[in-house]
């Protein structure tokens, strides 16, 4: 079962929220305020938990601007 389908379960919601908070803390530690103002994410986990990630990042002054399941299009555009 996909965890994203069980966000109404308090345990699952707390687990996912805690991991999103941990990610926000890492971003704050390794990137300047300007660098982390707009955050982009890649992968099915970010896509599945986008709403949770957006809410947690917003509390920390960050904005999730883009979520892609597959990084290939961005990689191809970057290396052209």
């Amino acid at each position: 079962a996909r965890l994203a389908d069980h966000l109404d379960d308090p345990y699952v919601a707390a687990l996912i929220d805690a991991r999103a908070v941990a990610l926000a803390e890492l971003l704050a530690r390794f990137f300047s305020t300007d660098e982390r103002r707009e955050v982009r994410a890649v992968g099915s986990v970010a896509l599945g938990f986008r709403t949770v990630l957006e809410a947690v990042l917003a509390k920390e002054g960050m904005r999730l601007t883009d979520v892609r399941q597959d990084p290939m299009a961005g990689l191809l555009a970057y290396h052209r």
Side-chain angles (χ1 to χ4, degrees):
R2 292 173 5 117
L3 281 178
D5 295 335
H6 302 282
L7 283 174
D8 56 334
D9 180 293
Y11 174 78
V12 173
L15 176 69
I16 300 305
D17 191 68
R19 296 298 82 211
V21 168
L23 175 62
E25 290 170 354
L26 283 173
L27 292 172
R29 185 181 310 157
F30 291 104
F31 295 95
S32 72
T33 302
D34 286 340
E35 289 174 317
R36 66 179 188 263
R37 186 165 285 125
E38 293 186 354
V39 177
R40 292 176 212 76
V42 175
S44 58
V45 173
L47 192 64
F49 299 112
R50 181 182 186 137
T51 56
V52 175
L53 191 54
E54 279 179 318
V56 168
L57 292 176
K59 288 179 191 173
E60 301 300 321
M62 297 177 236
R63 187 167 66 95
L64 187 61
T65 58
D66 192 18
V67 177
R68 304 277 171 108
Q69 184 170 1
D70 185 357
M72 193 54 68
L75 287 169
L76 289 172
Y78 177 80
H79 289 289
R80 283 192 175 144

